[in-house]
PDB file of all heavy atoms in Angstrom:
ATOM      1  N   VAL A  51      -2.700  17.251  -6.342  1.00 98.00           N
ATOM      2  CA  VAL A  51      -2.015  18.087  -7.238  1.00 98.00           C
ATOM      3  C   VAL A  51      -1.657  19.412  -6.602  1.00 98.00           C
ATOM      4  O   VAL A  51      -0.490  19.928  -6.737  1.00 98.00           O
ATOM      5  CB  VAL A  51      -2.799  18.326  -8.535  1.00 98.00           C
ATOM      6  CG1 VAL A  51      -2.122  19.442  -9.441  1.00 98.00           C
ATOM      7  CG2 VAL A  51      -3.040  17.025  -9.298  1.00 98.00           C
ATOM      8  N   ALA A  52      -2.551  19.961  -5.836  1.00 98.00           N
ATOM      9  CA  ALA A  52      -2.305  21.232  -5.100  1.00 98.00           C
ATOM     10  C   ALA A  52      -3.238  21.207  -3.939  1.00 98.00           C
ATOM     11  O   ALA A  52      -4.385  20.758  -4.018  1.00 98.00           O
ATOM     12  CB  ALA A  52      -2.506  22.460  -5.986  1.00 98.00           C
ATOM     13  N   SER A  53      -2.724  21.784  -2.825  1.00 98.00           N
ATOM     14  CA  SER A  53      -3.627  21.972  -1.639  1.00 98.00           C
ATOM     15  C   SER A  53      -3.147  23.199  -0.940  1.00 98.00           C
ATOM     16  O   SER A  53      -1.923  23.297  -0.532  1.00 98.00           O
ATOM     17  CB  SER A  53      -3.536  20.737  -0.722  1.00 98.00           C
ATOM     18  OG  SER A  53      -4.453  20.841   0.368  1.00 98.00           O
ATOM     19  N   ASN A  54      -4.036  24.238  -0.771  1.00 97.00           N
ATOM     20  CA  ASN A  54      -3.618  25.541  -0.363  1.00 97.00           C
ATOM     21  C   ASN A  54      -3.845  25.714   1.154  1.00 97.00           C
ATOM     22  O   ASN A  54      -4.656  25.212   1.757  1.00 97.00           O
ATOM     23  CB  ASN A  54      -4.459  26.558  -1.127  1.00 97.00           C
ATOM     24  CG  ASN A  54      -4.615  26.220  -2.591  1.00 97.00           C
ATOM     25  OD1 ASN A  54      -3.658  25.603  -3.156  1.00 97.00           O
ATOM     26  ND2 ASN A  54      -5.715  26.583  -3.139  1.00 97.00           N
ATOM     27  N   ILE A  55      -2.924  26.642   1.684  1.00 96.00           N
ATOM     28  CA  ILE A  55      -3.070  27.025   3.029  1.00 96.00           C
ATOM     29  C   ILE A  55      -4.132  28.184   3.079  1.00 96.00           C
ATOM     30  O   ILE A  55      -3.983  29.114   2.328  1.00 96.00           O
ATOM     31  CB  ILE A  55      -1.780  27.506   3.628  1.00 96.00           C
ATOM     32  CG1 ILE A  55      -0.762  26.394   3.647  1.00 96.00           C
ATOM     33  CG2 ILE A  55      -1.970  28.150   5.053  1.00 96.00           C
ATOM     34  CD1 ILE A  55       0.684  26.781   4.039  1.00 96.00           C
ATOM     35  N   CYS A  56      -5.101  28.041   3.891  1.00 94.00           N
ATOM     36  CA  CYS A  56      -6.184  28.973   4.034  1.00 94.00           C
ATOM     37  C   CYS A  56      -6.207  29.752   5.309  1.00 94.00           C
ATOM     38  O   CYS A  56      -5.789  29.173   6.320  1.00 94.00           O
ATOM     39  CB  CYS A  56      -7.556  28.230   3.838  1.00 94.00           C
ATOM     40  SG  CYS A  56      -9.084  29.163   3.903  1.00 94.00           S
ATOM     41  N   GLY A  57      -6.753  30.938   5.304  1.00 89.00           N
ATOM     42  CA  GLY A  57      -6.837  31.700   6.494  1.00 89.00           C
ATOM     43  C   GLY A  57      -7.722  31.009   7.489  1.00 89.00           C
ATOM     44  O   GLY A  57      -7.567  31.173   8.715  1.00 89.00           O
ATOM     45  N   SER A  58      -8.678  30.196   7.054  1.00 87.00           N
ATOM     46  CA  SER A  58      -9.461  29.422   8.024  1.00 87.00           C
ATOM     47  C   SER A  58      -8.604  28.384   8.763  1.00 87.00           C
ATOM     48  O   SER A  58      -8.880  28.126   9.885  1.00 87.00           O
ATOM     49  CB  SER A  58     -10.683  28.731   7.212  1.00 87.00           C
ATOM     50  OG  SER A  58     -11.498  29.669   6.609  1.00 87.00           O
ATOM     51  N   ASP A  59      -7.653  27.829   8.017  1.00 91.00           N
ATOM     52  CA  ASP A  59      -6.764  26.935   8.682  1.00 91.00           C
ATOM     53  C   ASP A  59      -5.922  27.658   9.818  1.00 91.00           C
ATOM     54  O   ASP A  59      -5.720  27.168  10.899  1.00 91.00           O
ATOM     55  CB  ASP A  59      -5.735  26.355   7.756  1.00 91.00           C
ATOM     56  CG  ASP A  59      -6.314  25.492   6.627  1.00 91.00           C
ATOM     57  OD1 ASP A  59      -7.254  24.730   6.987  1.00 91.00           O
ATOM     58  OD2 ASP A  59      -5.893  25.607   5.544  1.00 91.00           O
ATOM     59  N   GLN A  60      -5.614  28.906   9.552  1.00 89.00           N
ATOM     60  CA  GLN A  60      -4.877  29.635  10.560  1.00 89.00           C
ATOM     61  C   GLN A  60      -5.623  29.874  11.875  1.00 89.00           C
ATOM     62  O   GLN A  60      -4.996  29.929  12.985  1.00 89.00           O
ATOM     63  CB  GLN A  60      -4.436  31.048   9.908  1.00 89.00           C
ATOM     64  CG  GLN A  60      -3.422  30.954   8.854  1.00 89.00           C
ATOM     65  CD  GLN A  60      -1.973  30.692   9.383  1.00 89.00           C
ATOM     66  OE1 GLN A  60      -1.864  30.232  10.522  1.00 89.00           O
ATOM     67  NE2 GLN A  60      -1.024  31.047   8.551  1.00 89.00           N
ATOM     68  N   HIS A  61      -6.966  30.076  11.721  1.00 87.00           N
ATOM     69  CA  HIS A  61      -7.724  30.152  12.960  1.00 87.00           C
ATOM     70  C   HIS A  61      -7.444  28.968  13.909  1.00 87.00           C
ATOM     71  O   HIS A  61      -7.333  29.101  15.100  1.00 87.00           O
ATOM     72  CB  HIS A  61      -9.281  30.328  12.682  1.00 87.00           C
ATOM     73  CG  HIS A  61      -9.564  31.501  11.898  1.00 87.00           C
ATOM     74  ND1 HIS A  61      -9.276  32.828  12.429  1.00 87.00           N
ATOM     75  CD2 HIS A  61     -10.298  31.727  10.778  1.00 87.00           C
ATOM     76  CE1 HIS A  61      -9.736  33.711  11.610  1.00 87.00           C
ATOM     77  NE2 HIS A  61     -10.405  33.089  10.553  1.00 87.00           N
ATOM     78  N   MET A  62      -7.461  27.770  13.292  1.00 92.00           N
ATOM     79  CA  MET A  62      -7.235  26.491  14.068  1.00 92.00           C
ATOM     80  C   MET A  62      -5.798  26.527  14.571  1.00 92.00           C
ATOM     81  O   MET A  62      -5.472  26.252  15.829  1.00 92.00           O
ATOM     82  CB  MET A  62      -7.473  25.281  13.250  1.00 92.00           C
ATOM     83  CG  MET A  62      -8.910  25.080  12.952  1.00 92.00           C
ATOM     84  SD  MET A  62      -9.226  23.458  12.155  1.00 92.00           S
ATOM     85  CE  MET A  62      -8.540  23.829  10.572  1.00 92.00           C
ATOM     86  N   VAL A  63      -4.801  26.832  13.733  1.00 92.00           N
ATOM     87  CA  VAL A  63      -3.435  26.742  14.071  1.00 92.00           C
ATOM     88  C   VAL A  63      -3.080  27.747  15.156  1.00 92.00           C
ATOM     89  O   VAL A  63      -2.192  27.497  15.972  1.00 92.00           O
ATOM     90  CB  VAL A  63      -2.518  26.901  12.850  1.00 92.00           C
ATOM     91  CG1 VAL A  63      -1.074  26.962  13.211  1.00 92.00           C
ATOM     92  CG2 VAL A  63      -2.764  25.710  11.899  1.00 92.00           C
ATOM     93  N   ARG A  64      -3.736  28.868  15.224  1.00 89.00           N
ATOM     94  CA  ARG A  64      -3.583  29.887  16.339  1.00 89.00           C
ATOM     95  C   ARG A  64      -4.112  29.397  17.610  1.00 89.00           C
ATOM     96  O   ARG A  64      -3.947  30.072  18.612  1.00 89.00           O
ATOM     97  CB  ARG A  64      -4.068  31.189  15.956  1.00 89.00           C
ATOM     98  CG  ARG A  64      -3.442  31.926  14.785  1.00 89.00           C
ATOM     99  CD  ARG A  64      -3.995  33.297  14.574  1.00 89.00           C
ATOM    100  NE  ARG A  64      -3.519  33.859  13.323  1.00 89.00           N
ATOM    101  CZ  ARG A  64      -4.255  34.224  12.238  1.00 89.00           C
ATOM    102  NH1 ARG A  64      -5.677  34.094  12.387  1.00 89.00           N
ATOM    103  NH2 ARG A  64      -3.793  34.854  11.260  1.00 89.00           N
ATOM    104  N   GLY A  65      -4.763  28.315  17.630  1.00 88.00           N
ATOM    105  CA  GLY A  65      -5.538  27.820  18.830  1.00 88.00           C
ATOM    106  C   GLY A  65      -6.831  28.546  19.093  1.00 88.00           C
ATOM    107  O   GLY A  65      -7.285  28.547  20.256  1.00 88.00           O
ATOM    108  N   ARG A  66      -7.408  29.148  18.078  1.00 85.00           N
ATOM    109  CA  ARG A  66      -8.690  29.863  18.255  1.00 85.00           C
ATOM    110  C   ARG A  66      -9.886  29.094  17.924  1.00 85.00           C
ATOM    111  O   ARG A  66     -10.988  29.681  17.858  1.00 85.00           O
ATOM    112  CB  ARG A  66      -8.591  31.170  17.305  1.00 85.00           C
ATOM    113  CG  ARG A  66      -7.429  32.118  17.705  1.00 85.00           C
ATOM    114  CD  ARG A  66      -7.667  32.619  19.105  1.00 85.00           C
ATOM    115  NE  ARG A  66      -8.909  33.385  19.309  1.00 85.00           N
ATOM    116  CZ  ARG A  66      -8.946  34.666  19.038  1.00 85.00           C
ATOM    117  NH1 ARG A  66      -7.938  35.393  18.684  1.00 85.00           N
ATOM    118  NH2 ARG A  66     -10.211  35.330  19.179  1.00 85.00           N
ATOM    119  N   THR A  67      -9.765  27.762  17.911  1.00 87.00           N
ATOM    120  CA  THR A  67     -10.920  26.885  17.735  1.00 87.00           C
ATOM    121  C   THR A  67     -10.767  25.718  18.717  1.00 87.00           C
ATOM    122  O   THR A  67      -9.730  25.653  19.444  1.00 87.00           O
ATOM    123  CB  THR A  67     -11.073  26.363  16.348  1.00 87.00           C
ATOM    124  OG1 THR A  67     -10.034  25.380  16.030  1.00 87.00           O
ATOM    125  CG2 THR A  67     -11.080  27.431  15.321  1.00 87.00           C
ATOM    126  N   THR A  68     -11.646  24.781  18.705  1.00 86.00           N
ATOM    127  CA  THR A  68     -11.584  23.589  19.521  1.00 86.00           C
ATOM    128  C   THR A  68     -10.881  22.454  18.784  1.00 86.00           C
ATOM    129  O   THR A  68     -11.185  21.223  19.082  1.00 86.00           O
ATOM    130  CB  THR A  68     -12.921  23.197  20.103  1.00 86.00           C
ATOM    131  OG1 THR A  68     -13.785  23.068  19.067  1.00 86.00           O
ATOM    132  CG2 THR A  68     -13.458  24.280  21.019  1.00 86.00           C
ATOM    133  N   ALA A  69     -10.156  22.660  17.760  1.00 90.00           N
ATOM    134  CA  ALA A  69      -9.496  21.662  16.915  1.00 90.00           C
ATOM    135  C   ALA A  69      -8.571  20.780  17.807  1.00 90.00           C
ATOM    136  O   ALA A  69      -7.758  21.410  18.600  1.00 90.00           O
ATOM    137  CB  ALA A  69      -8.700  22.296  15.794  1.00 90.00           C
ATOM    138  N   PRO A  70      -8.618  19.470  17.665  1.00 92.00           N
ATOM    139  CA  PRO A  70      -7.786  18.575  18.497  1.00 92.00           C
ATOM    140  C   PRO A  70      -6.340  18.491  17.923  1.00 92.00           C
ATOM    141  O   PRO A  70      -6.186  18.680  16.683  1.00 92.00           O
ATOM    142  CB  PRO A  70      -8.440  17.298  18.390  1.00 92.00           C
ATOM    143  CG  PRO A  70      -9.171  17.306  17.096  1.00 92.00           C
ATOM    144  CD  PRO A  70      -9.514  18.707  16.812  1.00 92.00           C
ATOM    145  N   PRO A  71      -5.344  18.220  18.740  1.00 94.00           N
ATOM    146  CA  PRO A  71      -4.058  17.939  18.212  1.00 94.00           C
ATOM    147  C   PRO A  71      -4.032  16.759  17.180  1.00 94.00           C
ATOM    148  O   PRO A  71      -4.910  15.858  17.319  1.00 94.00           O
ATOM    149  CB  PRO A  71      -3.165  17.575  19.464  1.00 94.00           C
ATOM    150  CG  PRO A  71      -3.959  18.188  20.643  1.00 94.00           C
ATOM    151  CD  PRO A  71      -5.412  18.145  20.173  1.00 94.00           C
ATOM    152  N   ASN A  72      -3.222  16.848  16.253  1.00 95.00           N
ATOM    153  CA  ASN A  72      -2.915  15.833  15.193  1.00 95.00           C
ATOM    154  C   ASN A  72      -4.018  15.819  14.147  1.00 95.00           C
ATOM    155  O   ASN A  72      -4.075  14.882  13.354  1.00 95.00           O
ATOM    156  CB  ASN A  72      -2.765  14.461  15.837  1.00 95.00           C
ATOM    157  CG  ASN A  72      -1.587  14.406  16.822  1.00 95.00           C
ATOM    158  OD1 ASN A  72      -0.553  14.880  16.429  1.00 95.00           O
ATOM    159  ND2 ASN A  72      -1.821  13.929  17.999  1.00 95.00           N
TER     160      ASN A  72
END
Side-chain angles (χ1 to χ4, degrees):
V51 172
S53 186
N54 317 328
I55 297 173
C56 181
S58 299
D59 297 320
Q60 289 285 20
H61 294 306
M62 291 188 289
V63 173
R64 292 186 190 118
R66 295 299 299 269
T67 71
T68 54
N72 301 311

